[in-house]
Amino acid sequence: MLDLILSPYFIFRYFAVSFVLIQPSKLYAFYSGDKYILGQFVIPLIFYIASLMWRRDAFKFKIHLSLMVAQLFVVLVHSLCAEVYFGTYLAFFLLTPHFCLFAADLVNDESSKKFLVRAISLYVVVSFTLSMLAMASYPEGITLKQILSPLNLDNLNRASTLDRYHLLLSINYGVELFDLNYMVLEGVALTVYPLVLLSLCFLSPSFWKDKFVIPGVACSIAYILLKSSRGELLFLLLLGGYPLARMIFSKVRWPALLIIGFGYIQLVMDNKTLNGRNILNDLFTKSITFFGNGIGFSAKEILRLSGNDYTSFHNIHFEILTNLGIWIYAGFLCFTAYFTYCGQYNRNRHYYLCLLFVLMSTNFEVFDLYFAIPLGIVAAEFITHLRAKLADKITGIHLMRKKIQLV
């Protein structure tokens, strides 16, 4: 029985199901009051760590252990030099990187990866169907003109947001069909799985031809167009430009790093374009310190400043610098430069740059569990790179010893 529970086959499929059920769990938790179910996705991670010990996979276990030591060191530094805000932010700070490593192992198993992608596709189709039913029952009524309004440039530059406002309300099936609070599915929640699905299809193009995935892809594109998020649309546009990027950056790599500057474009945008979020720019510029203000600082401060209207910067560069400090952010940039330059410019490197410096500069948070899956694919290549370098180093040491012995 223990062999079955701790087998990669069981753990990966258990994780796929629990991952897909994260949003439905939020609906259930709000409706029933059973908050404990919100942590159900952590169980397969515990099984996975136990499995590494059971299978005596020392290399992968040491990576997790080293990462945990580094995280606890950051917590210790902040407890001495800043402040640690205990809560959800701290939990995801500790958990998300381990889910990336977990996903790196999962995506190396093609059968498990296919099961996960198909499960996400099924969820997106079901979710989109519910959104269409909600739109049909929307009290204000939605016209064809409003449905097509995302194609209007006024909607993208936010000169007019009324049509977009009604569209976002109408597709929120949590409100229209289940009488839940608007915030349960508000904002990024409706398009996060579509973005993850499209990300996985970009990283593994064979899924574009999978008949079980195609309906999910179609619904994902429709969802993203209805939401008309500028950051999400730009992200997909840049992903689509990969063939051109590969041709350019395979010859001269350094221009790829210019995308880092996009993470700060929010600082030069006017208040109307930012939908009134200029207060976040002020908070960012006043809160940059070497060690940071503490893990979870921005989550509490933004709620206070915005009167509970916003919950985060939706810009991971602001978030890392404000919460974790210059020392952590400098390490992040160094890793980015190293990863961009090592090996060929491939889909993984292109996706990493587009995700971290475009989508997560405009919409999401740095410790966002949903994107741990596609980042796992990126991490899998990097871990293979590290393992190869370690093997070369060990081989070099053995050769050196043999030379010494011969002398």
Side-chain angles (χ1 to χ4, degrees):
M1 183 65 176
L2 192 60
D3 287 336
L4 173 63
I5 294 176
L6 296 182
S7 68
Y9 179 88
F10 173 80
I11 293 172
F12 289 157
R13 280 158 177 75
Y14 181 18
F15 172 71
V17 173
S18 64
F19 175 77
V20 168
L21 291 179
I22 290 176
Q23 288 295 352
S25 295
K26 290 182 179 180
L27 300 180
Y28 174 79
F30 188 91
Y31 190 74
S32 66
D34 295 330
K35 302 296 183 183
Y36 66 89
I37 196 173
L38 294 176
Q40 44 85 21
F41 60 88
V42 178
I43 299 175
L45 177 62
I46 296 172
F47 283 174
Y48 171 70
I49 299 297
S51 175
L52 294 181
M53 300 173 66
W54 180 258
R55 292 183 282 128
R56 298 181 181 178
D57 193 332
F59 178 77
K60 292 173 184 174
F61 183 76
K62 285 179 181 178
I63 293 179
H64 281 278
L65 185 61
S66 300
L67 176 59
M68 179 57 71
V69 170
Q71 290 174 304
L72 292 177
F73 176 72
V74 173
V75 172
L76 175 62
V77 170
H78 279 149
S79 65
L80 297 174
C81 303
E83 188 172 352
V84 177
Y85 296 83
F86 292 92
T88 304
Y89 191 98
L90 177 62
F92 279 94
F93 166 77
L94 295 172
L95 287 172
T96 304
H98 294 279
F99 273 106
C100 289
L101 294 177
F102 177 22
D105 208 1
L106 182 153
V107 298
N108 284 326
D109 183 333
E110 284 299 319
S111 175
S112 295
K113 186 165 68 172
K114 180 182 288 188
F115 180 84
L116 172 65
V117 174
R118 287 181 171 182
I120 295 174
S121 178
L122 175 62
Y123 169 79
V124 172
V125 172
V126 172
S127 179
F128 187 75
T129 302
L130 292 174
S131 286
M132 293 302 97
L133 292 174
M135 181 183 289
S137 61
Y138 186 58
E140 301 291 330
I142 296 294
T143 65
L144 179 62
K145 181 181 177 182
Q146 287 174 308
I147 293 174
L148 297 176
S149 66
L151 302 178
N152 188 337
L153 290 179
D154 282 346
N155 201 32
L156 286 180
N157 63 28
R158 300 298 186 253
S160 173
T161 59
L162 185 60
D163 286 338
R164 181 173 186 261
Y165 171 75
H166 282 296
L167 274 176
L168 290 177
L169 281 179
S170 69
I171 60 177
N172 190 330
Y173 56 85
V175 174
E176 299 302 325
L177 301 182
F178 302 111
D179 295 324
L180 301 180
N181 187 292
Y182 170 74
M183 295 297 291
V184 177
L185 283 178
E186 185 270 339
V188 299
L190 287 170
T191 54
V192 64
Y193 282 109
L195 285 167
V196 171
L197 179 62
L198 294 176
S199 295
L200 293 173
C201 288
F202 171 80
L203 291 167
S204 301
S206 60
F207 287 119
W208 291 115
K209 300 178 182 179
D210 190 324
K211 63 182 179 180
F212 293 98
V213 177
I214 291 174
V217 168
C219 292
S220 295
I221 293 172
Y223 250 144
I224 291 169
L225 288 176
L226 284 172
K227 187 184 171 187
S228 67
S229 164
R230 294 165 296 186
E232 293 175 5
L233 292 171
L234 179 60
F235 168 67
L236 295 180
L237 180 65
L238 290 177
L239 282 186
Y242 167 66
L244 178 61
R246 181 181 57 183
M247 183 178 66
I248 296 172
F249 300 142
S250 292
K251 297 177 181 178
V252 184
R253 192 68 58 86
W254 69 264
L257 296 176
L258 294 177
I259 199 172
I260 291 174
F262 188 82
Y264 310 95
I265 196 171
Q266 182 176 324
L267 291 174
V268 297
M269 298 173 74
D270 60 55
N271 188 36
K272 185 175 183 180
T273 305
L274 291 173
N275 294 335
R277 287 188 290 178
N278 62 312
I279 58 170
L280 305 186
N281 288 348
D282 296 335
L283 174 62
F284 167 67
T285 54
K286 294 175 182 177
S287 304
I288 301 175
T289 62
F290 184 78
F291 287 112
N293 295 279
I295 302 169
F297 164 79
S298 66
K300 291 185 175 293
E301 192 65 12
I302 290 172
L303 282 172
R304 184 185 68 81
L305 289 174
S306 66
N308 295 330
D309 195 17
Y310 303 114
T311 58
S312 73
F313 282 114
H314 296 301
N315 183 320
I316 68 163
H317 308 280
F318 289 13
E319 186 181 339
I320 295 174
L321 281 166
T322 300
N323 290 276
L324 304 180
I326 294 173
W327 66 305
I328 297 294
Y329 188 70
F332 165 65
L333 292 185
C334 288
F335 170 80
T336 296
Y338 176 77
F339 181 63
T340 303
Y341 275 93
C342 73
Q344 296 181 342
Y345 189 85
N346 57 14
R347 288 180 178 271
N348 287 348
R349 285 162 182 75
H350 187 70
Y351 180 79
Y352 174 86
L353 292 174
C354 290
L355 177 68
L356 276 296
F357 295 95
V358 178
L359 185 62
M360 288 194 169
S361 293
T362 55
N363 287 77
F364 292 94
E365 300 173 56
V366 63
F367 302 115
D368 203 310
L369 179 66
Y370 299 104
F371 291 97
I373 305 298
L375 278 176
I377 298 179
V378 175
E381 181 189 348
F382 188 71
I383 291 171
T384 301
H385 170 76
L386 288 180
R387 203 165 195 168
K389 289 198 70 174
L390 180 62
D392 290 342
K393 186 176 180 180
I394 293 173
T395 302
I397 292 173
H398 288 324
L399 290 174
M400 182 66 69
R401 286 176 178 173
K402 286 182 179 181
K403 287 180 180 180
I404 293 172
Q405 289 172 357
L406 289 173
V407 172

